[in-house]
Amino acid sequence: MSIRMLNQNAEVLNKSAALHMNINAAKGLQEVLCTNLGPKGTIKMLVGGAGDIKLTKDGNTLLKEMQIQNPTAIMIARTAVAQDDSSGDGTTSTVLFIGELMKQAKCDYPFQICYGNALVQCTHPWFLVDGFEVAKRATLEFLETFKTPFVMGDQPDREILKMVARTTLRTKLYEGLADQLTDIVVNVVLCIRQSDEPIDLFMVEIMHMRHKFDVNTRMIEGLVLDHGSRHPDMKRRAENCYILTANVSLEYEKSEINAGFFYSNAEQREKMVSAERRQVDERVKKIIELKNKVCSGTDKNFVVINQKGIDPPSLDLLARAGIIAFRRAKRRNMERLVLACGGEAINSVDDLTEDCLGWAGIVYEHVLGEEKYMFVENVKNPHSCTILIKGPNDHTIAQIKDAVRDGLRSVKNTVEDEAVVLGAGAFEMAARKHLMDNVKKTVKGRAQLGVKAFADALLVIPKTLAENSGLDTQDVIVALENEHDRGLVVGLNHNSGEPVDPEMEGIYDNYIVKRQIINSGPIIASQLLLVDEVIRAGRNMRKPT
């Protein structure tokens, strides 16, 4: 072999062996993830090298946490993870679709493709690839006509958003919790949405507490910070609060140059100490003056949230003035505070005015074990908020976190796309019928095999949903095909196994997720089918001599 002439240590898989390896790798990864799909999907337990355990049914988490060694499987996993990064969902569906496309090309020997039970002699993979490309373009065009458009406007249709969020969350969590989180994620996205600006999900703080039960998870119109005050005399709860968001150092800073001070009596020492702290004390006094100006003669309170440090003498001065102060706030929370409470984030205490201040109806501290949390709630017109996730253990909290992130992305996608797609396998069934009835007739030659393979691969979604629900796959597909032949657009009711109208049940998928799956799946499958040799002869992969 020519490669062995160049490198005696090279490892080569030729033709049919290479194609077999790629198909088997895609099928293997598909079999791992297929049981996770849909509301009735099961949960995987991942055990790490140190014995740590993770329970999840989220495809993105599984692909990131699993140690995959097969190069083909790694390639498919990276494609699926990229799908999640770009659109926020569809990881498991991408893996299933790619694996099913590869299943349609079972190779018995070089460049002979066994399709079903019929062996098509001398069918070069390029014919299948050409068919995949034709079918992909036709399916994307069909998706444009199949989607359900709507106009968001200034007052979005909450029911549509709730349906999309509910469909996503029910595939990750049990039904009762998913329905509760549906309202939360929709309200959160609409809270941070600003007209003529893209939705920034980083303005949502996701905080968790090992406390009570998962149904106690709630949305807070404001922020929750994971630290409390540092002075015993400061209030632990205050109402009607002005909020000063600052990035000012209120602690004594040592000079960069080593200097010594010499004194002969206590009075000189006190003068030197006061001179050292003069700048810091003046900053604190300016904050106290602003507090006295806006709060004197009222029942209002004053809260300082500072990104930099506040030393004990400054804390003592602020506490005597009745000011609640929090130091070392995380940088990510500073912008959120301004969006939630209003006002401005200041970098200097010069020219402080009331316009710099935000507002919160209540600020209080919650102590849980050794942890302290500060709640800033009842703010006016917030454009940032917090989802406080509660659960009895880390496994529950991790599952809810993954589900909430997917739910937020699904609502965000719906707002930006202004379109949704009927779910429950309805799109896949309709797209297959369109390919077989309309597109295949227009394709000449062996490329028809690729169109038919693509159409059959689309059925992997309804088939897997039926299988995971404990239903007979063949009966379900036949029933769905009969309804589509009658001109009805129906999906699968995973409880009864009967065809159901997804629009009536409120089952909707994201348009962008479906588009990404149809786009990326055939590209990876085509590249893998065209591989006729796998060569392990790279410099960093050479066998040791």
Side-chain angles (χ1 to χ4, degrees):
M1 296 171 62
S2 56
I3 190 65
R4 291 288 175 84
M5 299 285 291
L6 301 175
N7 185 350
Q8 294 180 355
N9 296 323
E11 296 178 6
V12 183
L13 290 178
N14 276 29
K15 299 179 181 178
S16 62
L19 203 49
H20 268 302
M21 185 198 77
N22 289 341
I23 293 174
N24 290 334
K27 288 167 60 179
L29 196 59
Q30 179 192 29
E31 289 170 2
V32 170
L33 293 184
C34 68
T35 55
N36 294 359
L37 187 72
K40 295 291 185 72
T42 51
I43 295 176
K44 296 286 189 295
M45 177 187 288
L46 290 175
V47 182
D52 50 319
I53 297 173
K54 189 161 193 176
L55 299 172
T56 183
K57 61 184 292 190
D58 182 60
N60 182 48
T61 304
L62 282 170
L63 294 176
K64 283 184 176 179
E65 297 288 340
M66 283 194 305
Q67 187 176 2
I68 303 173
Q69 295 183 342
N70 185 283
T72 304
I74 291 174
M75 186 177 178
I76 297 173
R78 287 175 178 170
T79 303
V81 171
Q83 159 85 19
D84 187 89
D85 293 339
S86 63
S87 59
D89 203 0
T91 312
T92 305
S93 299
T94 301
V95 172
L96 296 186
F97 187 46
I98 294 172
E100 194 66 19
L101 285 171
M102 298 296 291
K103 273 186 181 181
Q104 303 304 320
K106 296 179 181 178
C107 181
D108 278 6
Y109 49 91
F111 300 132
Q112 294 186 353
I113 306 301
C114 174
Y115 182 77
N117 295 322
L119 183 66
V120 184
Q121 295 290 339
C122 300
T123 301
H124 196 282
W126 266 114
F127 290 112
L128 285 177
V129 171
D130 291 342
F132 284 175
E133 185 62 28
V134 172
K136 184 185 80 170
R137 289 199 302 268
T139 306
L140 290 175
E141 291 173 2
F142 177 73
L143 178 62
E144 295 298 322
T145 60
F146 186 84
K147 69 181 182 181
T148 305
F150 61 94
V151 179
M152 291 301 300
D154 294 332
Q155 297 295 329
D157 187 347
R158 283 178 173 267
E159 288 305 314
I160 288 286
L161 299 181
K162 285 182 179 180
M163 291 175 187
V164 176
R166 188 182 299 114
T167 303
T168 300
L169 291 171
R170 283 187 177 180
T171 64
K172 316 291 181 185
L173 302 167
Y174 67 89
E175 190 171 312
L177 180 59
D179 292 346
Q180 178 184 339
L181 292 177
T182 296
D183 292 327
I184 293 176
V185 296
V186 170
N187 292 336
V188 164
V189 173
L190 295 182
C191 173
I192 64 173
R193 177 177 179 246
Q194 300 186 51
S195 58
D196 302 327
E197 289 187 21
I199 297 174
D200 185 5
L201 293 181
F202 286 105
M203 291 303 102
V204 180
E205 172 78 356
I206 299 179
M207 185 67 66
H208 68 272
M209 296 171 64
R210 283 186 59 181
H211 185 49
K212 295 185 178 180
F213 302 102
D214 49 11
V215 293
N216 297 115
T217 299
R218 64 190 180 100
M219 169 193 173
I220 295 174
E221 291 189 347
L223 282 185
V224 180
L225 308 181
D226 54 356
H227 57 271
S229 61
R230 292 293 185 267
H231 196 281
D233 294 338
M234 289 183 179
K235 295 179 182 178
R236 296 295 181 262
R237 181 184 181 92
E239 298 180 356
N240 300 325
C241 303
Y242 286 106
I243 308 293
L244 178 63
T245 307
N247 184 23
V248 178
S249 176
L250 296 178
E251 59 185 346
Y252 168 67
E253 298 177 0
K254 294 183 179 180
S255 61
E256 296 180 2
I257 302 172
N258 292 327
F261 294 95
F262 301 95
Y263 52 87
S264 56
N265 54 51
E267 292 180 359
Q268 291 180 355
R269 179 184 178 281
E270 290 301 321
K271 288 181 180 179
M272 291 179 181
V273 170
S274 62
E276 276 186 328
R277 291 200 50 85
R278 184 177 297 127
Q279 288 185 335
V280 177
D281 290 343
E282 286 177 355
R283 293 178 196 151
V284 174
K285 288 176 182 177
K286 288 182 180 179
I287 294 174
I288 294 174
E289 289 174 2
L290 178 62
K291 184 262 180 184
N292 294 333
K293 178 181 177 182
V294 298
C295 296
S296 60
T298 66
D299 60 348
K300 295 181 174 61
N301 292 285
F302 199 89
V303 178
V304 176
I305 301 175
N306 194 27
Q307 183 177 341
K308 293 183 178 178
I310 306 176
D311 58 15
S314 300
L315 283 172
D316 194 52
L317 288 174
L318 294 171
R320 290 178 186 174
I323 296 175
I324 304 171
F326 300 92
R327 64 185 181 186
R328 308 290 182 195
K330 290 183 174 61
R331 183 177 179 180
R332 70 172 187 268
N333 286 327
M334 302 309 288
E335 185 178 355
R336 293 172 180 160
L337 273 168
V338 173
L339 288 172
C341 303
E344 301 175 3
I346 64 165
N347 295 311
S348 171
V349 294
D350 298 330
D351 302 323
L352 284 178
T353 63
E354 190 174 347
D355 295 335
C356 301
L357 302 177
W359 175 265
I362 183 172
V363 175
Y364 63 95
E365 186 178 292
H366 179 80
V367 180
L368 182 64
E370 296 181 356
E371 301 291 332
K372 291 183 178 181
Y373 298 90
M374 184 189 69
F375 289 72
V376 182
E377 296 188 47
N378 297 345
V379 296
K380 298 177 180 177
N381 301 321
H383 291 295
S384 179
C385 56
T386 301
I387 298 177
L388 181 61
I389 296 174
K390 292 188 177 183
N393 53 61
D394 293 335
H395 303 307
T396 302
I397 291 172
Q399 285 185 42
I400 297 175
K401 267 190 175 181
D402 293 337
V404 164
R405 288 195 178 96
D406 287 348
L408 290 173
R409 291 291 295 274
S410 68
V411 178
K412 173 179 179 287
N413 290 338
T414 306
V415 173
E416 293 177 347
D417 296 339
E418 295 191 339
V420 290
V421 179
L422 294 176
F427 166 72
E428 286 78 11
M429 296 299 303
R432 180 186 184 276
K433 186 176 186 303
H434 172 69
L435 290 176
M436 298 300 292
D437 294 350
N438 303 323
V439 179
K440 186 182 175 184
K441 298 175 183 177
T442 64
V443 180
K444 297 180 180 179
R446 296 176 185 173
Q448 286 187 357
L449 293 172
V451 176
K452 189 173 189 305
F454 190 99
D456 290 341
L458 288 172
L459 293 182
V460 69
I461 301 299
K463 282 181 180 179
T464 307
L465 289 173
E467 187 175 346
N468 290 347
S469 301
L471 304 171
D472 185 278
T473 303
Q474 193 170 12
D475 289 345
V476 167
I477 296 301
V478 169
L480 292 177
E481 285 180 340
N482 289 338
E483 295 297 323
H484 279 266
D485 289 340
R486 293 169 52 196
L488 302 176
V489 179
V490 296
L492 170 65
N493 185 327
H494 61 84
N495 291 318
S496 65
E498 299 296 325
V500 65
D501 184 357
E503 188 173 0
M504 296 297 293
E505 296 293 324
I507 304 174
Y508 289 103
D509 290 329
N510 277 135
Y511 162 75
I512 188 63
V513 172
K514 290 292 184 188
R515 186 175 180 83
Q516 283 289 101
I517 293 172
I518 300 301
N519 251 325
S520 60
I523 293 174
I524 299 301
S526 300
Q527 290 176 344
L528 294 177
L529 282 177
L530 293 174
V531 172
D532 68 340
E533 281 190 330
V534 178
I535 304 171
R536 188 186 292 270
R539 288 184 179 275
N540 58 346
M541 295 185 288
R542 185 181 300 163
K543 283 184 177 180
T545 55

